[in-house]
Amino acid sequence: MTQRALVLGGGGITGIAWEWGMLTGLAEAGVDLGTADLVIGTSAGSVVGAQVAAGVEPAVRYRAQLEPPDGELAAALDRGLLLRFALAMVGLPSPRRFRARIGRIALRAHTEASEADRIAVIESRLPVREWPERRLLITAVDAVSGRFRAFDRHDGVPLVHAVAASCAVPGVWPPVTIDGHRYLDGGVRSGSNADLATGADRVVVLAPLPRGIGPMTPVGKQVAALREHAQVALVSPDRAALAAIGRNVLDPAARAAAARAGYTQARSAVDGIRAVWA
């Protein structure tokens, strides 16, 4: 049985930064979440999770978040795209049908970057290339069927492709081709997919975007189910962190502020997390 699981949720560029800040602050306070038996990464959390599972020091990546975002493209979910997402909920579709509708939006979208270019960007940001020995799950959604998928090292899928798929924000970045299927952001099912930690005794969930919209399951509901059989700590950005992150989680200009806010917030979260993790 898995003893301890670390769940890292989605939240764009600022979510990555906030998570690295949290992990660094917690480690400095004596709580090393990198000792997890299972790491679950969704979207932004897949970028962080792949590195945590591989043993990358959080402080190294935290310092990288503080560097100026020179040459990085800012993206955003424009009003037209948000309207199409809202229309995908019309008729209260089943979760899988909703995800397939979002997948159609993603497949038809004209994005700034091609699939190959986007994979190259993810590869340039990921200092690890191979699946770690530690159990790691990277979430994604089949853009055609709406089927949810959690990739691991036994699937024979390149780690960079799995992470790129999990980060493929529909309508913003292109879906990623894996074994003849097109995959998009794992956050389309749930911002954190914390239910994949079922079976663990102790679970810590870092969720930059805890709410669920329509058929997307909120992390709080998943955590409530986990707490029936496990000790669970759930942390999301506090008021100061939300202010630092701002309204656009895909804006590199907010990355440094989000990282510092996560680092600071770790001080107030450490006791609750230590109680679960120790």
Side-chain angles (χ1 to χ4, degrees), residues 18-33:
W18 177 82
E19 289 178 355
W20 281 127
M22 283 288 304
L23 291 168
T24 301
L26 291 170
E28 290 183 1
V31 179
D32 181 8
L33 297 183

Side-chain angles (χ1 to χ4, degrees), residues 18-98:
W18 177 82
E19 289 178 355
W20 281 127
M22 283 288 304
L23 291 168
T24 301
L26 291 170
E28 290 183 1
V31 179
D32 181 8
L33 297 183
T35 59
D37 302 292
L38 167 65
V39 178
I40 298 164
T42 292
S43 197
S46 72
V47 177
V48 179
Q51 297 175 69
V52 170
V56 173
E57 287 292 331
V60 174
R61 300 309 299 158
Y62 170 67
R63 289 192 293 271
Q65 307 308 304
L66 306 180
E67 296 295 326
D70 297 333
E72 292 190 45
L73 291 176
L77 298 173
D78 61 39
R79 291 183 179 179
L81 183 57
L82 292 174
L83 176 60
R84 291 195 290 275
F85 288 171
L87 291 174
M89 301 180 197
V90 172
L92 299 176
S94 67
R96 182 163 173 172
R97 187 177 180 187
F98 165 75

